[in-house]
């Protein structure tokens, strides 16, 4: 025994030795963290040439360094820095210092002194600049510390006299980022320093190097961004910079002037070469306008953009921007301005529209005529006919912004905007149409303008046409000829591009609403009625006829005399359209007829819509009737679901709510049905047939709950709880069904475990909501939780079953605004009998055009699915650029889908549809769920039901006829 | 005094026959070589005999520059190079080189074949002339010889039109040719950098015009054409074969397409077809839109515009015809005009400037009865419209270009005298620079102060700039050194190095000056007084009192000796080297004023 013991001890002893050995190696591994610096040190010492060292450093820079070891690494680097003779290596070290001080969790104040010290002996300008950059990084991390900032500022000021532009650049940057911004009120000394900073930077406005000048202006702008109030004195300096030789300087100067003009709009500045004074904003406006005709297009774009945001400018300056004509010194008073106008009309300058109007006449006071200093004069005229479309777009944008704030300007700029509708570049046209729509409240279109506008309806680009329809929706037209013209052009548009139907109808709806009195005299002509003869009844399915009717009915809403002009069939058509296109045709009070919609009694308050009431009532009914016998509960639910669906179809504004509630009720109905099955009492082997129903119900409830959660926008946390609760019930149902059908306890065991985990996570996620869920399934379940955890699966299932049957139906609170995501595929239309032929193995591009409504973040959620007849499905992610946003809540998807297949013997149809991808980890509820539980559950159960990601089809599938031909040999 | 001389042989206070002689730093350059539309005799070409009475032109002129292919800028070129005789280089841009011979050939045909003139240049001459042409790219600096260099800038106006900068050393002249500051349907806007030339020679066709926005003009034009066509009238648009024609074609083409109009549009055959070919080729010279879209469709491939045949002019029904030439002075446009002038439904639209003496000018000035060749009287009933489409800069555009280039003086050509007068006044007033407007044959002399570059060694520069205060780069600075002029180059070196290079020994030049001071006191006392005085006055300098009784002010030595005859008069010896001349003379003058009376 002793021997044996000894042997054991010996054995153990040897083992210990081995372990020690292992431990050493383990220690070594752990040591690598601090020794990162050591390794670097070794590497750097090994380096024989600067190139080698540089290689090591580059290699080193690729790996991240932990916060705690940064300081050590920095020391090593600095040590090497002092020894290094090669500037490039020092440069790299300096840049590494900057990188390292960015490390999160590392406070760089300990290395600041070293960094500043290295500056002292540095000769190379590049390294100096890099070191200053490092200091900037350090300073940015330590902005809270005023002492550090002061110190760095001192350093920066010291190196401002350096001969190299790079160093001066960095110094200015440093000052811009770190110069103190505290208000002078706090401390006298501080405010002095503030003044200093601006003066220091201002001194470099006339540095010899353009890059330094730019940096100085940028630093000044940086100061402004950080909240320092710039002094007005730099305005004159900035004005001088506008005539700099270098475009980047001018570009920055334009910005600076803009900033100053926003800071001191009302200050008075003198006009050079005259005794008069004007407001600073006006002066700045004139100067920036001047830059719209700069030599560099970058500056022009910059200037044009900034003009838009100068809304305090005086109106007569603003209006001059549209006036290219020569005027005498614009900066004088109004009278001088008018005198100048007279001078102009006296014929000194010709417009170039008439021959010989430029024949010189008697000399006038030329001192008053001023060609260059006219400032604002014609800035937009120049900007709008600029060579580069970027400038034109910027100018249109600026026009838009200014016109929105000034109705009189809006009126004036109309001609120019209308002209822009004929620009060569589509983007510019589109932009000007949008602009016009935005300012349309302030304007009324003249007939000739309308003519130009309507001409664009023939544009082949759909975007432009639709933008134009939107514009027409909110345009004011002055004459009945204008309305007629618009209608004729829209109908022309309709015949040329039938896909625009919806958009045109909508456009006519608003046109009718806005101009009832102008439509009235046109009615007989439009309906082609005759005082004596009956005219043939027009075809009710003709989109053009519907378009006309939409216009008329909408006008008739506010024009009670109009229905007298209708013929009999018009009334019939009205009834039909009111029902089929209820969103386009308003309710009308027609003589001798009842109103088609429910009578609106004056006692009802306007916002309590009868249909809204109906919805509420039917839902109340459902929720109240808890204790009805199962049969009638089912019936009631079925009726209510049917009612809600119909209501959703009729009242587009209630569609979201109605659908949402109907879906929820359907879930409940399914659950009740599944639980009502008589099968639960039957012995296990006999279930096989019936359980199909119950498990199918569970599956469907799951799907519906996902739809409820992800397809509706505006769902709040209250609803999410209910939805999740419903899902939990579905899962419980599933568990019960599985328990009944499978033999053996093994799989059940895991499932139970999973279910309990889910209950647990549900509780964790919605702890705050639990009090509202009295008597619910989960409420009861949580009470029983201790029992469930301890009991066997079979018992647990039993408990579940009873709980599920006893639990009450939860009331679903309705959110304020809820909209269902919908998608309509406009193209392909799916009506074509001509198959799309292509050679098999090659690809064919199918244009897909769809409108999406109420889809949040469509770029990441909307997918296109293509189903081939062989069951093969293909999922396509459209590019983010394929989505356009024509209005709030609306998106347009215009993309190309590439199809390919092996050869077929005859043409066949494929299905194209849109899917809404969801990811439950994205939902508000599941964010706190641990991922691991999900992964575990995925192993145990089919992924289609428990997968965190999934898709919901939300558009009608469209069939496309295709025919891949075999390749010809 | 270096000078720049400019003499217009044509286009001086006149439009047409552009030809300007420039001598700059000993180099003679001829800018453009055009013909005049208004004349059919000798006056149509510039008077080349002015350049040199005897001797060859090649010896006198260093180069000829053609700004663009319009005949009033290049029409006389074959005559000049082949008949008068010039073998030097002729510079023009690539598109100009391609299109210019087509126009010259057309011009020759009209003059020789139609009018039957003799003693005119032949096709072969045009070919020979074009062989002398050197093509240049935009912004390419071409060295004509060692000193003369030229550089082309984009000018808009017509395809390939360029502005040229002519530079010798630091003296430069910019010649704009014809240019356009607003982009149009097919070309971009002229652009120049801030090259600050000594002289900017600018055209001034529209010196008194400020045009409406381009879009208004386009709309008016389209409206007029459209109305006339709807009335069933015929529209004649006389254009130059190239340039405006292409712009208006693009305009009408897109309009026709948009409005779905059916009336035919015709374009003079032959010439234009060839020219359109070149327009398709030189896409890089066109505007942003055409450059961006030509991959899908070349805008110059017209769908609605067909070639014109003479017989079409009698066809019934509406039509639009572009016919050459532009001022109705000859050729097809004049023929069609005669046919259509009698009907008031018809319309003629003059899309640009008309030179005095042409039919175009006459009808625009309101003449309704024209005397044609052979004493016929033509009554004009058709509507006459004017639409300024010619792509010249207007007054504001000219000012804009001057602002961009920042020249030291401006010279106006290519415009009418009265209008120029007005613009001249404006320019002088706005920019405070001299502005000239010479008549043909009148020479303008401009004095320049060119910079002379001198090489300086870095060591010397650093040493010299270290002296004194913080360097301020924008201010002139005084430097000491030796200027060596050798082999046509200038170098500034330090005196030591200069001596070494020249192999000379260094000589010290010392000035010694005696200053008599009336002072009865002893020498050393007086020295002390002088010392104290200087110490008080020259605070910035080091003043030392040496033990041997002399005073050192920097390196200037002051010694006092007693005058043997008169004890009351002391002599101060002030001695300084040449380098300290400034301080030395200051000291002497200071001492000569005498010492202040002692307070003690």
């Amino acid at each position: 025994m002793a021997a044996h013991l000894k042997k054991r001890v010996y054995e153990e002893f040897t083992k210990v030795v081995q372990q020690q050995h292992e431990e050493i190696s383990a220690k070594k591994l752990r040591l690598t963290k601090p020794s990162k610096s050591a390794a670097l040190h070794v590497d750097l010492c090994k380096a024989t040439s600067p190139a080698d060292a540089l290689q090591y450093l580059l290699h080193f820079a690729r790996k991240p360094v932990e916060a705690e070891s940064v300081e050590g690494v920095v020391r090593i680097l600095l040590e090497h820095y002092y020894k290094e003779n090669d500037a490039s290596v020092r440069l790299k070290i300096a840049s590494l210092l900057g990188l390292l001080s960015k490390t999160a969790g590392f406070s760089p104040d300990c290395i600041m002194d070293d960094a500043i010290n290295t500056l002292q002996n540095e000769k190379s300008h590049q390294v100096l600049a890099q070191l200053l950059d490092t200091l900037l990084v350090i300073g940015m991390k330590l902005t809270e510390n005023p002492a550090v900032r002061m110190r760095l500022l001192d350093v920066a000021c010291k190196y401002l006299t350096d001969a190299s532009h790079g160093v001066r650049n960095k110094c200015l940057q440093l000052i811009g980022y770190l110069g103190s911004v505290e208000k002078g009120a706090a401390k006298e000394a501080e405010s002095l320093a503030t003044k200093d900073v601006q003066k220091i930077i201002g001194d470099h406005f006339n540095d010899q190097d353009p890059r330094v000048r730019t940096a100085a202006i940028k630093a000044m702008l940086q100061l402004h961004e950080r909240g320092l109030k710039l002094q007005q004195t730099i305005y004159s300096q900035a004005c001088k910079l506008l005539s700099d030789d270098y475009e980047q300087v001018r570009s920055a100067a334009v910005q600076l002037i803009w900033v100053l003009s926003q800071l001191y709009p009302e200050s008075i500045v003198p006009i050079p070469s005259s005794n008069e004074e004007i407001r600073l904003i006006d002066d700045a406006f004139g100067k920036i306008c001047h830059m719209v005709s700069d030599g560099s297009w970058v500056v022009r774009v910059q200037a044009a953009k900034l003009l838009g945001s100068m809304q305090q400018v005086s109106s007569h300056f603003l209006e001059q921007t549209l006036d290219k004509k020569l005027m005498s010194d614009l900066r004088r008073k109004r009278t001088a301005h008018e005198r100048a106008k007279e001078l102009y009309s006296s014929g000194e300058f010709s417009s170039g529209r008439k021959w010989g109007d430029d024949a010189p006449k008697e000399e006038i006071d030329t001192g008053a005529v001023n060609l260059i200093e006219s400032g604002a004069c014609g800035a937009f005229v120049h900007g709008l006919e600029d060579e580069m479309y970027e400038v034109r777009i910027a100018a249109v944008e600026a026009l838009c912004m200014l016109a929105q704030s000034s109705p009189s300007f809006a009126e004036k700029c109309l001609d120019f905007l209308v002209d822009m509708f004929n620009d060569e570049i589509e983007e510019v046209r589109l932009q000007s149409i949008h602009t016009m729509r935005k300012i349309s409240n302030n304007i009324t279109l003249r007939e000739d303008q309308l003519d130009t506008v309507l001409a664009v309806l023939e544009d082949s680009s759909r975007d432009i046409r639709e933008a134009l329809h939107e514009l027409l929706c909110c345009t004011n037209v002055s004459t009945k000829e204008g309305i007629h013209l618009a209608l004729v052009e829209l109908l022309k548009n309709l015949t040329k591009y039938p896909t625009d139907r919806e958009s045109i109808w909508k456009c006519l709806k608003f046109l009718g609403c806005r101009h009832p009195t102008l439509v009235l005299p046109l009615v007989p002509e439009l309906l082609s009625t005759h005082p004596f003869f009956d005219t043939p009844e027009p075809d009710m399915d003709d989109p053009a006829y519907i378009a006309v009717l939409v216009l008329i009915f909408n006008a008739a809403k506010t024009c009670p005399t109009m229905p007298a002009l209708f013929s009999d069939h018009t009334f019939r058509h009205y009834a039909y359209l009111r029902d089929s296109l209820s969103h386009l045709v308003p309710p009308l009070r027609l003589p001798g007829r009842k109103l088609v919609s429910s009578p609106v009694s004056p006692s009802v308050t306007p916002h309590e819509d009868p249909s809204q009431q109906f919805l509420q009532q039917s839902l109340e009914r459902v929720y109240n009737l808890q204790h009805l016998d199962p049969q009638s509960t089912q019936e009631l639910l079925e009726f209510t679901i049917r009612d809600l669906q119909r209501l959703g179809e009729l009242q587009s504004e209630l569609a979201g709510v109605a659908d949402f509630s109907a879906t929820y009720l359907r879930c409940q109905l399914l659950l009740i049905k599944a639980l009502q099955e008589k099968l639960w009492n039957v012995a296990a082997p006999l279930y096989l047939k019936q359980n199909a129903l119950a498990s199918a119900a569970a599956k469907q409830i799951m799907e519906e709950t996902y739809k409820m959660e992800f397809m509706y926008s505006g769902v709040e946390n209250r609803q999410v709880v209910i939805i999740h609760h419903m899902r939990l019930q579905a899962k419980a149902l599933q568990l019960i069904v599985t328990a009944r059908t499978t033999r053996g306890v093994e799989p059940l065991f895991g499932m139970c475990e999973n279910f309990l985990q889910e209950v647990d996570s549900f509780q964790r996620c919605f702890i705050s909501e639990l009090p509202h869920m009295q008597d619910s399934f989960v409420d009861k379940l949580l009470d029983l939780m201790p029992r469930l955890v301890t009991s066997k699966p079979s018992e647990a299932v039993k408990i579940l079953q009873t709980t599920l049957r006893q639990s009450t139906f939860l009331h679903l609170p309705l959110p304020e605004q809820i909209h269902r995501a919908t998608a309509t595929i406009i193209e392909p239309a799916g009506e074509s009998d001509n198959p799309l032929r292509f050679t098999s193995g090659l690809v064919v591009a199918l244009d897909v055009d769809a409108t999406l409504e109420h889809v949040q973040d469509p770029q990441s959620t909307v997918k296109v699915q293509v189903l081939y007849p062989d069951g093969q499905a293909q999922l396509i992610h459209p590019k983010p650029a394929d989505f356009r946003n024509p209005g709030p809540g609306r998106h347009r998807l215009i993309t190309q889908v590439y199809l390919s297949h092996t050869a077929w013997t005859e043409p066949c149809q494929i299905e194209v549809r849109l899917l809404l991808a969801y990811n439950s980890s994205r939902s508000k509820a599941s964010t706190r769920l641990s991922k691991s539980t999900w992964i575990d559950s995925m192993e145990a159960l089919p992924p289609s039901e428990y997968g965190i990601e999934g898709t919901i089809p939300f558009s009608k599938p469209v069939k496309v006829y295709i025919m891949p031909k075999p390749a010809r040999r | 005094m270096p000078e720049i001389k400019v003499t217009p042989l044509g286009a001086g206070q006149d439009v047409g026959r552009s030809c300007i002689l420039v001598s700059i730093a000993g180099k003679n350059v001829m800018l453009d070589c055009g013909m005049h539309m208004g004349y059919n005799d000798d006056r149509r070409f510039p008077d080349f005999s002015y350049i040199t009475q005897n001797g060859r032109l090649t010896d006198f002129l260093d180069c000829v520059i053609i700004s663009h292919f319009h005949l009033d800028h290049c029409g006389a070129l074959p005559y000049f190079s082949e008949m008068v005789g010039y073998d030097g280089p002729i510079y023009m841009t690539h598109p100009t080189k391609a299109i210019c011979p087509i126009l010259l050939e057309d011009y020759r045909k009209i003059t020789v074949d139609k009018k039957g003139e003799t003693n005119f240049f032949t096709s072969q001459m045009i070919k020979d002339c074009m062989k002398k042409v050197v093509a240049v790219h935009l912004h390419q600096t071409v060295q004509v010889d060692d000193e003369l260099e030229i550089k082309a800038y984009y000018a808009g106006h017509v395809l390939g039109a360029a502005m040229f900068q002519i530079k010798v050393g630091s003296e430069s002249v910019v010649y704009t040719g014809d240019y356009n500051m607003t982009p149009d349907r097919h070309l971009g806007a002229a652009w120049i950098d801030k090259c600050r030339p000594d002289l900017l020679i600018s055209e001034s066709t529209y010196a008194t015009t400020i045009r409406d926005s381009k879009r208004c003009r386009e709309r008016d034009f389209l409206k007029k054409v459209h109305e006339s066509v709807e009335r069933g009238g015929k529209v004649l648009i006389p254009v130059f074969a190239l340039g405006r024609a292409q712009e208006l074609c693009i305009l009408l083409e897109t309009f026709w397409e948009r409005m779905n109009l059916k009336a035919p549009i015709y374009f003079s055959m032959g010439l234009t077809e060839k020219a359109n070919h070149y327009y398709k080729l030189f896409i890089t010279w066109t505007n942003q839109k055409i450059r961006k879209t030509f991959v899908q469709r070349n805008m110059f491939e017209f769908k609605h515009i067909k070639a014109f045949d003479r017989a079409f002019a009698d066809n019934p029904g509406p039509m639009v015809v572009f016919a050459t030439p532009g001022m109705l002075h000859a050729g097809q446009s004049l023929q069609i005009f005669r046919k259509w002038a009698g009907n008031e439904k018809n319309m003629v639209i003059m899309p640009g400037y008309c030179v005095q003496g042409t039919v175009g000018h006459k009808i625009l000035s309101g003449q309704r009865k024209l005397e044609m060749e052979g004493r016929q009287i033509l009554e004009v009933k058709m509507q006459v419209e004017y639409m300024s489409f010619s792509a010249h800069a207007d007054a504001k555009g000219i000012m804009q270009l001057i602002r961009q280039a920042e020249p030291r003086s401006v010279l106006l050509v290519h415009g009418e005298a009265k209008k120029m007068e007005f613009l001249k006044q404006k320019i002088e007033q706005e920019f405070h620079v001299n502005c000239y407007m010479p008549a043909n044959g009148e020479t303008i002399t401009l004095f320049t102060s060119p910079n002379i570059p001198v090489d300086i060694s870095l060591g010397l520069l650093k040493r010299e700039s270290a002296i004194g205060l913080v360097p301020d780069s924008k201010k002139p600075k005084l430097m000491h050194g030796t200027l060596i002029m050798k082999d046509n180059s200038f170098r500034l070196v330090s005196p030591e190095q200069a001596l070494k290079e020249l192999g000379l020994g260094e000589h010290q030049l010392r000035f010694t000056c005696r200053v008599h001071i009336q002072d009865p006191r002893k020498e050393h006392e007086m020295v002390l007084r002088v010392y104290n005085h200087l110490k008080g006055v020259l605070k910035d300098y080091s003043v030392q009192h040496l033990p041997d009784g002399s005073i050192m002010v920097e390196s200037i030595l002051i010694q006092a000796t007693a005058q043997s005859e008169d004890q009351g008069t002391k002599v101060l010896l002030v001695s300084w080297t040449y380098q300290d001349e400034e301080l030395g003379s200051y000291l002497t003058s200071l001492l000569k004023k005498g010492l202040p009376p002692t307070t003690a």
Side-chain angles (χ1 to χ4, degrees), chain A residues 709-861:
Chain A
E709 190 175 351
F710 296 106
M711 254 175 76
Y712 292 87
S713 62
V715 178
E716 294 158 25
N717 210 28
R718 289 185 300 160
Q719 285 88 40
V720 175
V721 184
I722 309 280
I723 294 166
H724 274 252
H725 181 251
M726 182 52 87
R727 198 177 300 155
L728 202 64
Q729 281 173 312
K731 279 177 187 161
L733 183 65
Q734 211 161 28
L735 180 62
I736 297 164
V737 174
T738 329
R740 285 257 156 179
T741 46
T742 43
R743 290 187 193 95
V745 195
E746 276 303 303
L748 218 55
F749 203 74
M751 279 178 76
C752 264
E753 194 86 332
N754 282 328
F755 182 74
L756 291 179
Q757 268 175 2
E758 278 193 22
V759 176
D760 195 42
S761 61
F762 181 87
Q763 189 192 6
R764 266 187 284 125
C765 288
F766 300 110
I767 190 85
S768 58
E769 299 283 337
L770 282 178
H772 304 296
M773 305 178 73
Q774 294 295 330
D775 272 353
S776 68
F777 171 66
V778 78
D779 190 39
K780 286 178 179 162
L781 208 58
L782 287 175
D783 288 342
L784 296 168
M785 209 51 178
R787 260 181 73 198
L788 276 172
V789 174
T790 49
S791 58
K792 278 186 210 156
S794 53
E795 273 176 51
V797 167
K798 253 181 211 150
I799 299 169
L800 273 181
Q801 196 180 332
T802 41
T803 334
L804 199 56
R805 300 187 82 162
Q806 283 168 4
S807 58
T808 53
F809 180 32
L810 269 183
H811 189 292
L812 178 70
L814 285 179
E816 300 273 314
Q817 280 285 322
I818 188 160
H819 293 287
R820 194 180 137 152
T822 51
T824 330
I825 299 179
I826 303 167
E827 226 175 300
E831 289 154 4
S832 172
D833 287 332
N834 295 328
L836 198 61
R837 289 173 196 280
F838 61 99
T839 308
S840 68
L842 299 182
V843 284
V844 64
L846 179 71
D847 287 306
V848 174
D849 183 349
T851 49
L852 315 171
E853 295 207 25
H854 306 298
V855 182
Q856 287 160 326
D857 188 22
Q859 280 90 340
S860 58
T861 53

Side-chain angles (χ1 to χ4, degrees), chain B residues 329-364:
Chain B
H329 51 91
Q332 201 168 42
S333 62
L334 192 59
Q335 283 174 12
I336 300 170
F337 174 73
R338 280 169 146 186
K339 270 188 188 150
W340 292 357
N343 192 338
E344 62 271 4
K345 271 204 288 185
N346 297 344
M347 181 188 280
V348 57
I349 298 180
M350 306 298 300
Y353 185 83
C354 286
V355 172
Q356 226 155 17
T358 58
V359 175
H361 188 266
K362 283 177 196 156
I363 57 169
L364 280 176

Side-chain angles (χ1 to χ4, degrees), chain B residues 152-180:
Chain B
Y153 291 96
Y154 191 76
H157 190 61
V158 287
L159 193 78
M163 305 190 273
F164 279 91
Q165 185 191 33
I166 302 120
K167 197 171 170 189
V168 182
S170 66
E171 290 167 277
S172 63
V173 172
V174 169
Y175 174 59
T176 63
D178 289 357
Y179 64 100
N180 186 11

